[in-house]
Structure formats: C-alpha cells, structure tokens
Amino acid sequence: MIVNKKYTIAILLAYLFIGVEANAQQTPAPKQSVAISIEGATAHLGNGEVIENSLIMFEDGKLSFVGSAMSRIARRGEKIIGKGKHIYPGFIAPNTSLGLIEIDAVRASKDQDEIGEMIPHIRSLVAYNAESKVVESMRPNGVLLGQITPQGGRISGTSSIVQFDAWNWEDAAIKIDDAIHLHWPTTFRKGKWWKGEDRGYQANKKYGEEVKETLVFLRNAAVYDSLAVTKNPVLSAMSGLFTGKQKLFVYADGEKEIIDAVTQIKATGVKEIVLVGGHHAHKVIPFLKENDISVLVRATHNLPVFDEDDYDLPYKLPNLLVDGGLLVGLQNGTASNFQIRNLPFYAGQTVSQGMEVEKALELITGNTAKILGIDDNYGTLALGKSATLFVSEGDALDMKGNRLMNAFIDGREISLETHQTELWKRYEGKYEVK
C-alpha cells in the first residue's frame, strides 16, 4: 500500500500536539496589570498578628495596603469578596529538591546530586525544572516558594530560592546562590548489612578524621585568594561564607555533633550558620542561643531518630525550640518531594502540642523567610512587600480548611490547576456513590 508522505507527517504532528496539550504545564501568569483589593477576610500576617476584618490591596506586584476593612481608603481595581475566608502569605519550603527530581524510581529524572564529597561549586539553580509537575502540585496547598537544594556528598553544593510559577529557572529565581550545604560527620552510623555488619547503630571510628578533613577544607577556603593566578572554582565558591553574603546550612542531629559543628565551623571564620535537622537541638538550647543559631527542624510527621527518644519528639520538637527562644522553621527533611505539599499540615501538627496557631504559621512563613534571608520581601503581609499570598476557605494549617480560592505570586494570579486536579475532575463521577 502506498501512503501519502505529507498525510502521514500531518497525522504524526497532530498526535504530537495532542500529546503536548494533554501533558502541558499551566502557563505562567502574566505580570499584574490591574490593582486588586481583597476585603472582609481574616488576614494572618505571618508575624503573629491577625486582622479579623481585613482589607488587603496590591498593585504592580507589591502590597499597597494592609489593614482593617473599616478604613476609609479608596478600594482600587478588581475587588475580591473575602468575607468568611482567610488570607495567608505564601508558604515557603526550605531545603527541598523540588524541580531536581521528578520521579524517584526513574534515575533519568533525578538530578539532585553530583559525584564527589566536597562540591560547593555545584549549583542547583541551573538544573531546576520550572515545568515540573511535582512543583506545580505544591501550589493548591499554598506552598508558593522554595529553597532548591542539592543533595549528596559532605558539602552538597549551593542552593537558590525560587517561586513556583515560571517558564524557566531564570524567571523563577528570587535569590541566587543563597547558601552552601554541609552534612556534618556523625559519631554513630548504621551498620552496612551488605558487608555483614549489624543493621543497628554503631560508633563511627572515623568521626575525628572526617571532622578534620571538613575543617581543613573550610580553612583552605577561608584563605583562598580569588585574585590568585591559578583559579580554584571549588574554593572560590565558598567565598560568600566568609563575607556574610551566603549562609552555611549544617546538617546535624546529635548533641555532640551540633556542638562540635557550631564551635569548630565558627572558628574558621564562617559568618552565619543554620542548623538543619537538629533532632537533639532541644538539649543544647542555651548553646544555640548564645551562638545565634536558627534551626530548620524535620517535618513533624516523622519517627524519632534515636532509639532512646520519646516517641512523640518529632511532634513536640518545634514547640520546645520556639519556647526556648530560638528562630525555628520547618523543612521536609529526607521525605519524598511530593510530600512537601503537606508542609502546612506539619505546621498544624505543632498546634496539638500546645503551640499557638499564629506561631505555628510563622514556622512556614515569617520565620523561614528570615532564616533564608528573604524576609525583606517575602514571608509576611506588610506594606511594600511582594504580593505573594493566597485566599483559603478555612484554616490553611488544617486539611479540611486548606481549600484555596485564589493565589498570587508577586501580584500575578496563578492557576491552581494541576495534573492531579485534572484527574480528580475526570474520575470523580466514576466512583461517586449513587
């Protein structure tokens, strides 16, 4: 049979376009062109304050009024009736590999690490996939910003902070190369069962050696001359740590590791340290306060790290640290990327441990923005800051109440549709009870 070549190409192109349309991401929203006024909602500002009957206005991507709806100020532009609803700053997900991993089980879709132990020059931002379907699925729960962080090695690389509605990483970036990530050696390690070792924890006999290697690397970076004839991109990438331009995120859980890491790293000249994990941070609160160390604790929906820990320590740890006067934020830890959309519910879990609701909200808004160094523009609802916020039907820290009506990033109203909502709409009639 003779087949018309042009006809065949046309059919193939048609199938191609159908496939692209079926799997395409939501088109990023255009720049805000009309002022927006949201009136009557309960506004949770992200700094502990609440305005019951609020008026929130923004234009050109910036908040132009944050106050009471009783104010006589003229309403501008498009009006959104918020009576009975709630307004929140966009939630921020620190220490995440969103956009670097699409499917955990598919190696070709994983780009979160590189070969090597000391690789601070590896930049996560250039590998970030702004069109990731996993990233898109964060937005319906109010997670609108994230710190994209590399994994693997002792010094994993350099992170950057992005917003979750963009064509590419250049458009997404809001703070480039904000921090370097160091996994401090552990005094205990799990046995390598494949080598015949016991599966339980055992002493790490190389702890001292590994600490020494880490400190030698940091000292070399501290004295590296960027004007040297022979360039060293690895050491050069660390320079921001010693000028205060970048922060060092140190991953440590045990009491000894936390004290060793903070004490010895500060001695090398690193200006700002953030503790990540900190499972036993509650045991050294005075030490952390004295050294001005903020903490990003693991998500509350986790098991204890050590056998001797209270069974509910992950639930109550954020509260213990906040009560101790530390600056605390929540991060997803080692859980899969798709679980980051549960970030508001991790914060909500702390309320059951006695934390005030607005303080729990700060764990994923104002506090995290301060820890990441973006609080001048994000994390709270305040005059002149970015209009990155959303309107929810109820309490956004509760699964029943977290139902978004509208969401905005830099004043742009973004789509809340994802491949998950499309599938839900497609199949909801198939399984509904008749």
Side-chain angles (χ1 to χ4, degrees), residues 32-39 55-60 64-65 73-81 408 413:
Q32 183 182 8
S33 58
V34 177
I36 294 177
S37 300
I38 307 174
E39 185 171 358
L55 173 62
I56 307 293
M57 297 196 297
F58 51 95
E59 52 188 311
D60 298 324
S64 55
F65 185 83
I73 188 171
R75 280 55 170 166
R76 292 178 55 81
E78 179 185 339
K79 295 179 178 60
I80 297 176
I81 303 301
F408 304 86
E413 183 164 15

Side-chain angles (χ1 to χ4, degrees), residues 9 37 68 73 114 132 139 144 187 191 209 232 240 272 300 397:
I9 292 174
S37 300
S68 171
I73 188 171
E114 292 288 346
S132 164
R139 303 185 320 207
L144 306 182
T187 54
E209 179 185 333
N232 187 321
E272 294 190 66
T300 52
L397 303 189

Side-chain angles (χ1 to χ4, degrees), residues 258-263 284-293:
I258 292 171
I259 294 174
D260 285 352
V262 172
T263 303
V284 291
I285 288 176
F287 170 79
L288 294 173
K289 286 184 68 176
E290 180 184 347
N291 287 277
D292 194 25
I293 305 297

